[in-house]
Amino acid sequence: MRIAILLKDRCQPKKCNLECRNYCPPVRTGVDAIAMGPKGKPVIAEELCVGCGICVHKCPLEAIKIIQLPHELEGELVHQFGKNAFRLYRLPVPRKGQVIGLLGPNGIGKTTAMSILSGQIVPNLGDYDSQGSWDKVIEKYSGTEIHDYFVDLAAGKLRTAMKPQYVDKLPAIHKGLVRELLEKVDDNHKMDEVTTRLGIHGVLPRDIAKLSGGELQRVALAATLLKEADVYFFDEPSSYLDIYQRLEIAKVIQELSEHKQVVVIEHDLAVMDFLADLVHIMYGDEGAYGVMAQPRAVRTAINVYLDGYLREENVRFRDTHIKFEKRPPRKEWESEVLIRFPGLTKRFKTFTLKVSEGQIRKGEVVGAVGPNATGKTTFVKMLAGEIEPTSGEVGGEATISYKPQYIKPEFDGTVREMLSTNIGRDFESGFFQAEIAHPLNLKHLIEKDVNTLSGGELQRVSIAECLGKTADIYLIDEPSAYLDSNQRMVASKTIRRAIEKIGKSAVVVDHDVYMIDLISDSLMVFSGEPSVRGTAEGPMGMRDGMNKFLEAVHITFRRDQDSGRPRINKKDSRLDREQKARGEYYYA
């Protein structure tokens, strides 16, 4: 089964010579396999396409994909967005008593599947010229497990609640106080109970526009949980949350699944492992198609995802498998000192941060870990010179490149224009193109307007912009937000490799524990009472830092026997007790 995809955001006929049509063998013999559509863009007739792939290779903008799909997918098409447009195959089935997880790269239909199951999209079953019909959907799935679900959804008997992916857009949709928003959706008068459990009772009197990313995430989760529904959907619930908050959210969702149906999209593999019961791996081609594989037990599913090969379907969806190496921490970093701080204090009206004496050496990558609202971003801003310490001073004449936690697409123009403006000549250098732009896959974003980028695309561009500037120290705040599992691994390796090759230093703040372990030489550990006081210690060695950090949040990790990936131990399990007794919380 052959499908033809035209990526409309890449296709720009005014910038090419219509190579797709001019070189197409059927067209040259008088068969209109590729015709020009009413909007001036090519339209590919899939039934006339011979699959030669010439148009794919000749298109200078790489806007065409001709893909051969397994014949087993015939009749499995759920939704298609238009002629030569993205299509989704198969759907997950929500089950009461189990958390159903969706795991896969960005851009292959996970959110689309959720939108269909929540009733926001009526699937057209591939008939994109007519509006979707529930009658046709119910007839199509007669005799299958999902049939009754669609019958109830179409009849309005199933109430659904969905937490959106991009919580940073919440202030643009809802104005006013947090309390006012939550009161509107509090169907069962449980606002005090839910907000206390999520740790946001104190933000109820605050304006939504003034909340941090972590607070916005928990407000969005609270708004979803307060709604009375039969099926709950959570799209990336862990973004911007620290590890303690992630596990608390996971426990809340698990408790909800005991009497409701729950579906979750999550890219933090440790959280997905801890949270889900069954997981559907999704594979496909970004912007072209997505296929929902059969459900697997969570441990098996994650290991299969890392391996990149679905044995039952005989499908390899990734060229290489992701490796987790069981390695000891790196030795203490030794090189000349770049920045010294003899002890810093920063006092705000309601928050005080105290930083113990420390230093950052040349070529060293320092990871910053700890609960939200304990001063990590404040410390980074003091290093960047954006905030003056109340006492103490940062010693050294280092130049800074800073990627902030919250990225706003404020540049009016294309990605190419923005990078060229902000990086200068280095944007065209072989180093930037080979070591930063290529692994972060910026090739197809380069001509896009910055204001049209998705959260994940904007994150990759911002990381590239930060690394592309000439500086002595690179400050990167939460680079994993909105990146899928594979992109997080790539971003980690890109940051690590770039810093090593240019011989500079970096401070990376993130809540993905494995990403921090993969990228760091040493750790800054933050602790304290969130939004009241914070204490920072380090940089210290990785083993000491991880043990200090995880001891504070009462979590231990073990290694999976097959893949070597870190897995969270159940509280008070045998391994949990043994590791705590030995004081080895991560490197067991």
Side-chain angles (χ1 to χ4, degrees):
M1 182 173 66
R2 186 182 301 119
I3 64 172
I5 303 295
L6 178 72
L7 302 174
K8 294 182 175 60
D9 56 338
R10 295 187 196 173
C11 180
Q12 301 180 57
K14 293 181 180 179
K15 294 185 178 181
C16 71
N17 296 314
L18 300 180
E19 286 89 345
C20 58
R21 179 171 168 78
N22 293 335
Y23 284 96
C24 176
V27 171
R28 299 179 75 165
T29 60
V31 177
D32 266 350
I34 300 179
M36 300 310 293
K39 295 184 179 180
K41 295 193 176 186
V43 176
I44 305 168
E46 292 178 357
E47 64 277 7
L48 300 177
C49 175
V50 297
C52 63
I54 291 176
C55 59
V56 176
H57 298 294
K58 289 294 184 181
C59 177
L61 301 170
E62 299 185 24
I64 295 175
K65 296 182 179 183
I66 306 296
I67 301 169
Q68 191 72 33
L69 294 181
H71 288 293
E72 289 79 6
L73 291 178
E74 286 191 27
E76 299 273 12
L77 181 57
V78 176
H79 191 73
Q80 185 173 342
F81 284 92
K83 181 76 172 178
N84 303 145
F86 179 86
R87 54 204 83 185
L88 173 67
Y89 295 87
R90 302 184 191 143
L91 288 169
V93 182
R95 294 179 174 90
K96 188 178 290 187
Q98 293 181 314
V99 176
I100 306 300
L102 305 184
L103 178 61
N106 287 332
I108 59 167
K110 298 186 301 296
T111 300
T112 299
M114 272 194 171
S115 298
I116 290 171
L117 292 176
S118 64
Q120 297 177 23
I121 294 176
V122 181
N124 58 28
L125 307 177
D127 185 8
Y128 49 83
D129 287 328
S130 59
Q131 195 170 1
S133 164
W134 282 120
D135 290 337
K136 291 181 180 179
V137 172
I138 292 169
E139 181 182 354
K140 161 79 174 177
Y141 289 100
S142 178
T144 66
E145 189 177 3
I146 205 171
H147 173 264
D148 292 343
Y149 181 93
F150 278 138
V151 169
D152 291 341
L153 185 64
K157 295 179 181 179
L158 270 184
R159 292 167 297 178
T160 63
M162 186 169 181
K163 188 212 78 72
Q165 179 181 11
Y166 299 117
V167 295
D168 49 358
K169 295 181 180 178
L170 194 62
I173 301 171
H174 299 281
K175 307 293 183 183
L177 305 181
V178 173
R179 182 184 299 278
E180 295 170 348
L181 165 63
L182 296 183
E183 284 176 345
K184 291 178 184 177
V185 296
D186 188 8
D187 294 334
N188 294 315
H189 307 290
K190 291 185 176 181
M191 185 170 71
D192 288 342
E193 177 188 337
V194 170
T195 54
T196 300
R197 180 78 185 272
L198 298 184
I200 55 169
H201 196 272
V203 307
L204 291 178
R206 289 171 57 187
D207 192 303
I208 292 174
K210 296 181 179 179
L211 299 184
S212 68
E215 289 166 340
L216 282 172
Q217 182 70 270
R218 285 177 288 161
V219 167
L221 285 160
T224 306
L225 293 165
L226 288 172
K227 295 175 183 177
E228 179 57 38
D230 302 296
V231 193
Y232 290 82
F233 300 91
F234 298 92
D235 198 342
E236 297 190 30
S238 74
S239 296
Y240 298 123
L241 301 184
D242 62 46
I243 187 168
Y244 182 82
Q245 292 167 339
R246 292 179 184 200
L247 294 187
E248 187 59 33
I249 290 299
K251 292 173 186 175
V252 171
I253 293 174
Q254 284 176 330
E255 292 169 12
L256 179 68
S257 72
E258 293 174 3
H259 53 279
K260 301 289 184 179
Q261 299 174 64
V262 176
V263 181
V264 178
I265 296 172
E266 181 53 65
H267 294 302
D268 186 320
L269 295 180
V271 173
M272 176 67 90
D273 190 18
F274 184 83
L275 167 64
D277 298 295
L278 293 177
V279 171
H280 291 264
I281 295 172
M282 286 196 69
Y283 64 93
D285 195 322
E286 182 180 356
Y289 76 100
V291 180
M292 188 84 58
Q294 296 304 311
R296 291 169 168 80
V298 60
R299 175 182 176 272
T300 304
I302 293 176
N303 286 349
V304 168
Y305 177 72
L306 294 174
D307 188 50
Y309 177 62
L310 294 165
R311 191 175 302 277
E312 292 85 350
E313 291 90 339
N314 192 27
V315 171
R316 176 157 291 283
F317 55 89
R318 194 189 306 111
D319 293 335
T320 59
H321 65 274
I322 298 173
K323 294 182 179 179
F324 287 81
E325 297 181 6
K326 299 179 182 179
R327 57 166 180 77
R330 300 179 185 92
K331 295 180 180 179
E332 187 172 345
W333 195 258
E334 296 180 1
S335 65
E336 64 180 282
V337 175
L338 183 66
I339 288 180
R340 295 183 187 274
F341 39 93
L344 305 173
T345 302
K346 180 61 184 178
R347 293 187 180 90
F348 298 94
K349 286 184 179 180
T350 59
F351 177 74
T352 300
L353 171 65
K354 292 184 179 179
V355 183
S356 63
E357 179 181 356
Q359 58 192 22
I360 299 174
R361 297 178 179 274
K362 189 173 182 180
E364 182 179 22
V365 179
V366 180
V369 296
N372 278 335
T374 54
K376 297 186 298 298
T377 297
T378 299
F379 172 70
V380 166
K381 286 184 175 180
M382 284 195 289
L383 293 183
E386 293 194 2
I387 294 177
E388 286 291 327
T390 305
S391 64
E393 62 179 18
V394 178
E397 299 296 326
T399 54
I400 303 293
S401 178
Y402 176 42
K403 186 203 84 68
Q405 179 181 11
Y406 307 118
I407 311 163
K408 296 180 180 179
E410 296 175 340
F411 188 87
D412 187 16
T414 66
V415 171
R416 179 187 296 278
E417 292 167 345
M418 185 185 78
L419 293 178
S420 181
T421 300
N422 296 339
I423 295 177
R425 292 181 180 179
D426 289 341
F427 168 62
E428 301 293 344
S429 71
F431 174 81
F432 180 84
Q433 294 299 323
E435 299 294 343
I436 299 173
H438 177 69
L440 291 176
N441 198 20
L442 301 189
K443 182 178 182 180
H444 301 304
L445 304 181
I446 209 73
E447 301 301 336
K448 279 189 172 184
D449 285 336
V450 175
N451 292 322
T452 65
L453 298 179
S454 69
E457 291 171 340
L458 192 59
Q459 186 71 265
R460 282 150 50 202
V461 169
S462 298
I463 293 171
E465 180 186 353
C466 178
L467 293 175
K469 294 177 181 176
T470 301
D472 295 313
I473 185 166
Y474 295 81
L475 309 176
I476 306 173
D477 202 343
E478 294 210 30
S480 72
Y482 299 129
L483 298 185
D484 64 45
S485 304
N486 197 45
Q487 290 169 339
R488 291 180 185 195
M489 301 292 292
V490 170
S492 300
K493 292 176 181 177
T494 301
I495 295 170
R496 177 81 214 170
R497 186 170 57 245
I499 295 300
E500 284 180 346
K501 290 201 172 185
I502 60 180
K504 304 299 183 180
S505 304
V507 176
V508 180
V509 179
D510 210 279
H511 296 298
D512 188 312
V513 173
Y514 188 74
M515 186 173 187
I516 283 291
D517 180 47
L518 185 71
I519 210 171
S520 306
D521 298 301
S522 55
L523 285 183
M524 289 285 296
V525 180
F526 289 73
S527 57
E529 185 179 348
S531 301
V532 178
R533 57 179 175 80
T535 302
E537 298 178 77
M540 63 185 75
M542 290 297 294
R543 173 173 263 130
D544 291 340
M546 277 292 191
N547 284 337
K548 189 175 186 65
F549 166 53
L550 294 176
E551 183 180 12
V553 293
H554 312 293
I555 295 166
T556 59
F557 281 80
R558 68 188 183 282
R559 295 284 174 164
D560 184 80
Q561 293 179 353
D562 297 328
S563 65
R565 63 185 172 87
R567 303 183 69 194
I568 299 171
N569 289 323
K570 284 187 167 51
K571 187 178 180 181
D572 296 327
S573 67
R574 179 183 60 82
L575 282 175
D576 184 56
R577 295 195 310 271
E578 288 178 356
Q579 288 180 222
K580 285 177 178 175
R582 296 201 311 269
E584 289 290 356
Y585 287 73
Y586 192 79
Y587 297 105

